[in-house]
Amino acid sequence: MKKVLGLVVFNCLFTSSIAFAQTSLLVVFPPTNYQTSTEKIFFIGTAAPDGQVLINGRPITRSQTGHFSLSLPLQLGENVFKIRYQNQEREIKVTRLSTQPELLQGLGFTKDSLTPAVDIARLPGELICFGAIAPPQASVSVKLANQTIPLSLQPPQAQLPINSSVLTGKNQPTTSSPNKYQGCTTVAKVADLGQPLFSLTLNGNTATQLSPGKISILTPTQLPVTEVIAASGVTRTGPSTDYSRLTPLPKGTRATVTGRKGDWLRLDYGAWINSKETKIIPDAVPPQTVIRSVGYRQRAGETEILFPLQAAVPVSVEQSEGTLTLTLYNTTAQTDTIRIDDNSLISRLDWQQVTPTQVKYIFNLKNLQQWGYKLKYDYTTLVLSLRHAPNIHTRKLLPLSGIKILLDPGHGGKESGSSGPNGYLAKDVNLVLSKLLRDELVQRGATVVMTREDDRVVSLVERQEIISKEQPAISLSIHYNFLADDSKVEKTRGLVSFWYHPQAHSLAVFLHNYLVNKRLEPSYGVFWNNLALTRPSSAPAVLLEFRLMSNADEFEEIVNSQQQRKIAKTLADGVTEWFKMTK
């Protein structure tokens, strides 16, 4: 979420397409002395509709009620914009920062370019790589203990855009800065190798610098064992939050640590986890288990599959059309008996030993639509809870009778979200639309739970916990959109729908198309996205981003009370039709 300084915040909710009489010039974004690395910056604001608003002497296009939103190019360094309306003028300075590292003038390495930049630990024989940015034609090497590793000048490498750039269609790679030197080595013996010493020689002169990170080689027979202490340990494909998420590990899971990078631990099955979510178990042996019988028990609205284990080992879940696959790591099967009676959810359970330490259990399901799952450890017994389809009654006047639906109005309190040209905040319109939708769903017989019903902060973790506790049939998170600094806000419009788990894909696509086909919303697209409110696995969860708050023309419809009621009614109709389709 972009935090905008100096916003004028209005506590009242505007539900009319005609904004209040604005006689003064208001620039909502950007604030003065703003810094960005993008090539463009958008300006959002308003003034009375009569007269002109000029930016650096040029008139700009505004909506009928005087709002404006437009993107302007930026040069590297300081950019000064003078916004004028009648006798009022604002001066805003925007500094465009370079995305390329600043090359050192003279002999030496570019600031913060030495890697490893944090302490790392590796197994004997594993590749250890070093990097630095230095002047061309230099001779660069690294001394590690009694080794000297030459670093070679590399050809320019493609620099990948951030993940969110796919939302603006600007997800093409660019060329990274030149003058990057790299090299690798291996170390066979256990040792604390300390900080590598980088050396640079150019024109007969030499400069040296210690790496910020230390290197150690672990003892294979004495690897530490860690236990997950978070309620749901976040695992990733690499050692930072930039890497993709994997299936979270239930509290109590134990795994051997085979590597470290800064605060991140590499676990024996390949995933990385932040050390703050774990604790080291002194003198523990590497967790391994066999598995024998697998059983189940029925609960209200769900089937629990029980996997008795000797140790709480790492697990992962994959959903696909008609199946759910559970993988147990550090596990060897001795399974001869599995009990699954004529279950309303599961048609058959298959298993296979994929590798000597990896077992897969494949649940063949009777229906394509999955309604959610949970994982937990009860001591060392893994419990997988598979939710049954909700009881959908066929009452004509109350088609959603018996259905619990969770609505999540985005933001709230100091978390204001994006802003419209006149300072109207996304948190307010999110709540307005959610309450209108709640009323429509209740009229159709649904039980509706809301994560907030007033203007207050509800953290992302709290919202996830509410979903897990309430176990609704579906969860809908309601937002109004914003885009990055270099977006063409004056040309961008439309509904964006997000899903994460396959169980939510059908819901996301159906509701998106339903609103678009009713011509209430143009389509910006349906996206798989790793968002906090799409990640809950206990129910199909979808996040809807309605029109762009910062688009002056779209804003006219956002604050139109008649349009808000239409969207709420149509979305409730879409929810009703989707449940009919999934029966």
Side-chain angles (χ1 to χ4, degrees), residues 45-72:
T46 192
D50 56 309
Q52 289 185 325
V53 172
L54 308 176
I55 298 185
N56 288 348
R58 295 186 178 183
I60 62 174
T61 302
R62 297 195 288 153
S63 69
Q64 291 183 349
T65 52
H67 306 321
F68 59 86
S69 58
L70 73 160
S71 296
L72 295 176

Side-chain angles (χ1 to χ4, degrees), residues 342-471:
D342 186 15
N343 185 269
S344 62
L345 183 66
I346 304 164
S347 62
R348 190 178 73 251
L349 174 58
D350 302 325
W351 71 269
Q352 56 180 309
Q353 185 86 43
V354 181
T355 72
T357 59
Q358 190 180 129
V359 183
K360 285 196 178 208
Y361 290 89
I362 302 146
F363 295 85
N364 299 276
L365 305 176
K366 291 183 176 178
N367 298 306
L368 296 181
Q369 178 60 48
Q370 298 179 44
W371 294 95
Y373 69 88
K374 288 184 178 182
L375 280 172
K376 69 175 182 180
Y377 269 110
D378 184 0
Y379 186 47
T380 59
T381 295
L382 180 68
V383 181
L384 170 65
S385 302
L386 300 179
R387 295 188 60 197
H388 296 176
N391 293 320
I392 302 174
H393 303 305
T394 56
R395 299 176 188 174
K396 186 174 182 180
L397 296 178
L398 295 173
L400 296 179
S401 179
I403 303 296
K404 181 190 286 188
I405 297 172
L406 184 136
L407 298 182
D408 171 53
H411 306 290
K414 65 181 180 180
E415 303 292 341
S416 59
S418 53
S419 172
N422 64 2
Y424 184 25
L425 300 175
K427 66 172 184 175
D428 296 326
V429 70
N430 292 342
L431 187 58
V432 169
L433 182 58
S434 296
K435 286 184 174 181
L436 291 171
L437 177 57
R438 173 197 61 191
D439 295 344
E440 291 286 346
L441 294 171
V442 168
Q443 288 178 19
R444 291 161 175 77
T447 299
V448 178
V449 177
M450 296 182 66
T451 56
R452 69 178 180 98
E453 298 192 50
D454 51 22
D455 184 21
R456 61 189 177 91
V457 174
V458 183
S459 72
L460 296 177
V461 171
E462 288 175 316
R463 295 170 196 257
Q464 292 173 324
E465 289 173 348
I466 293 171
I467 295 173
S468 180
K469 176 184 176 182
E470 293 290 343
Q471 296 197 76

Side-chain angles (χ1 to χ4, degrees), residues 9 30 35 37 70 84 120 173 191 197 208 216 261 264 278 283 336 338 361 364 407 465 530 542 563 574 576 580:
V9 180
Q35 294 184 338
S37 60
L70 73 160
R84 185 171 184 82
I120 65 171
L197 179 65
T208 60
S216 59
K261 185 175 182 181
W264 291 82
T278 69
D283 302 321
D336 285 332
I338 297 176
Y361 290 89
N364 299 276
L407 298 182
E465 289 173 348
N530 171 25
V542 170
Q563 181 72 4
T576 303
K580 288 180 181 178

Side-chain angles (χ1 to χ4, degrees), residues 14-16 424 428-429 432-433 436-437 480 557-570:
F14 299 100
T15 55
S16 167
Y424 184 25
D428 296 326
V429 70
V432 169
L433 182 58
L436 291 171
L437 177 57
Y480 275 80
E557 296 200 38
I558 289 172
V559 296
N560 186 299
S561 59
Q562 183 178 1
Q563 181 72 4
Q564 291 170 345
R565 286 192 292 271
K566 279 184 179 180
I567 291 174
K569 181 181 183 306
T570 305

Side-chain angles (χ1 to χ4, degrees), residues 210-249:
L210 285 171
S211 167
K214 299 177 182 178
I215 297 175
S216 59
I217 307 301
L218 300 171
T219 306
T221 58
Q222 298 176 10
L223 294 177
V225 172
T226 194
E227 179 179 307
V228 175
I229 58 175
S232 184
V234 178
T235 57
R236 295 184 180 271
T237 57
S240 80
T241 56
D242 292 334
Y243 287 87
S244 300
R245 286 177 178 252
L246 300 170
T247 301
L249 295 181

Side-chain angles (χ1 to χ4, degrees), residues 369 499 501-511 542 578 581-582:
Q369 178 60 48
W499 61 279
H501 294 288
Q503 64 192 19
H505 178 256
S506 167
L507 177 63
V509 172
F510 185 89
L511 294 182
V542 170
W578 183 78
M581 183 182 71
T582 57

Side-chain angles (χ1 to χ4, degrees), residues 63-116:
S63 69
Q64 291 183 349
T65 52
H67 306 321
F68 59 86
S69 58
L70 73 160
S71 296
L72 295 176
L74 294 173
Q75 297 179 337
L76 283 173
E78 185 178 276
N79 299 258
V80 178
F81 297 93
K82 293 183 178 180
I83 303 97
R84 185 171 184 82
Y85 171 71
Q86 296 179 353
N87 62 347
Q88 304 169 59
E89 186 172 275
R90 288 276 311 278
E91 181 176 285
I92 294 177
K93 294 180 181 179
V94 178
T95 301
R96 179 184 164 193
L97 306 174
S98 174
T99 58
Q100 302 295 339
E102 185 177 347
L103 297 179
L104 184 69
Q105 299 299 317
L107 189 69
F109 296 100
T110 296
K111 183 181 179 182
D112 299 329
S113 71
L114 302 186
T115 57

